[in-house]
Amino acid sequence: MTENLSNESVFREIEANYCIIQQNLEHAAMQAGVSRESIRFMAVTKTVPPVFINHALQLGIDLIGENKVQELLEKKEFLNGAYDAHLIGHLQTNKVKKIIKEVTMIQSVDSVKLACEISKQAKNADVVMPVLLELNIGEEESKTGFLPQSFAENALEIAEMDAIRVCGVMAVPPICDTQAEIRMWFEKVRKQYDKLKDYAKLKEINILSMGMSSDYEQAVLEGANLVRIGSALFGHRRY
Ligand SMILES: *Cc1c(COP(=O)(O)O)cnc(C)c1O
């Protein structure tokens, strides 16, 4: 009984958060001069139990993101409805095989070696895996991802692989104190994204995944068309 009561209060909180985010996205899209429909809203569901993810799916969320292979596989069994699932966390090569048929995109391709393994496993499974390339824009040692100076070269190499489709760029910029500072990082990411699109071999690129709970509006203003939102939707609690 108490459990159901507390679930109900979390449901109400998720609904309220969902409305606020939708309004903010609407507003940011308008400011950016793009249509709201051109921006995809991903619910980041790491640490969130299936009961609450299902509630978000009922509200209209159609894309979820998980960081860990095991957590995604365990939770998927309990999720209802039609949705896309993307992997957004670092992926070890030995787990590629497990995930290849479970997600519609891997956003966290952070090395040529990983891309190679994804292509190999996708080929074995007779699929082509859409991927985003993760850019370590701040060149932070604590993060994986491609470095700006070799990004285009690496992207071109990966685009040559058989069973992989390079669809765009994903980035998590350094933590910033001001909106102006975060906006500057998003601009740097967008410039790298634009540069990739200039290559004939990378013409299919059309997804720019950046912006999280604290900065998704800034990201949209800088051209993001996929935002990844966790705590602003589900709350900060540790379930
Ligand atoms: C956790 C996470 C998010 C969402 O973070 P919030 O600040 O909770 O919105 C987005 N992207 C990645 C790669 C993450 O790991």
Side-chain angles (χ1 to χ4, degrees):
M1 188 65 187
T2 44
E3 193 180 289
N4 284 337
L5 274 179
S6 66
N7 276 1
E8 283 301 321
S9 72
V10 177
F11 290 160
R12 297 296 87 78
E13 192 183 323
I14 293 170
E15 286 160 21
N17 290 340
Y18 179 82
C19 284
I20 293 168
I21 294 165
Q22 289 292 9
Q23 281 170 13
N24 291 342
L25 283 175
E26 192 94 35
H27 184 244
M30 201 164 67
Q31 274 190 292
V34 298
S35 72
R36 168 63 188 88
E37 293 69 44
S38 67
I39 301 163
R40 206 149 178 218
F41 171 7
M42 166 189 279
V44 176
T45 53
K46 63 176 174 232
T47 77
V48 180
V51 61
F52 301 133
I53 303 173
N54 279 328
H55 197 67
L57 293 172
Q58 274 176 28
L59 293 175
I61 289 289
D62 65 357
L63 172 61
I64 64 166
E66 279 282 348
N67 294 62
K68 294 182 180 155
V69 171
Q70 198 56 35
E71 187 175 344
L72 175 62
L73 297 183
E74 281 168 12
K75 288 199 272 195
K76 268 189 92 178
E77 295 186 40
F78 299 99
L79 301 184
N80 308 314
Y83 61 90
D84 284 327
H86 292 181
L87 192 75
I88 60 170
H90 175 66
L91 175 59
Q92 290 169 289
T93 49
N94 62 2
K95 297 206 174 132
V96 171
K97 194 174 177 173
K98 271 193 185 163
I99 197 87
I100 208 82
K101 287 204 154 174
E102 304 292 337
V103 291
T104 51
M105 182 176 282
I106 297 171
Q107 293 204 3
S108 42
V109 172
D110 54 14
S111 70
V112 172
K113 180 174 160 234
L114 173 61
C116 212
E117 179 65 15
I118 291 171
S119 179
K120 182 178 149 198
Q121 295 299 341
K123 202 170 179 180
N124 285 346
D126 208 18
V127 297
V128 173
M129 179 55 79
V131 302
L132 303 185
L133 306 181
E134 184 171 355
L135 176 60
N136 183 357
I137 192 66
E139 302 181 45
E140 295 169 278
E141 280 183 22
S142 61
K143 283 181 183 154
T144 59
F146 298 99
L147 295 172
Q149 54 272 23
S150 47
F151 194 43
E153 188 190 323
N154 294 143
L156 287 165
E157 186 179 349
I158 292 168
E160 293 288 326
M161 294 176 186
D162 278 341
I164 232 173
R165 195 166 85 236
V166 179
C167 297
V169 176
M170 188 271 264
V172 182
I175 294 177
C176 295
D177 291 329
T178 66
Q179 296 214 322
E181 207 186 335
I182 188 73
R183 181 94 186 249
M184 178 207 75
W185 286 113
F186 287 142
E187 185 188 7
K188 284 181 195 281
V189 177
R190 202 241 311 142
K191 283 184 170 159
Q192 289 279 337
Y193 168 78
D194 286 342
K195 186 173 149 197
L196 292 194
K197 284 167 64 122
D198 281 343
Y199 289 95
K201 280 184 184 154
L202 299 172
K203 277 280 187 282
E204 275 187 85
I205 284 186
N206 62 7
I207 300 177
L208 179 53
S209 170
M210 60 184 188
M212 319 200 315
S213 288
S214 58
D215 53 26
Y216 61 91
E217 292 156 284
Q218 300 301 315
V220 166
L221 292 179
E222 220 35 82
N225 56 18
L226 194 160
V227 292
R228 309 179 308 268
I229 300 177
S231 51
L233 179 63
F234 294 109
H236 282 286
R237 76 182 54 70
R238 275 135 71 77
Y239 294 92

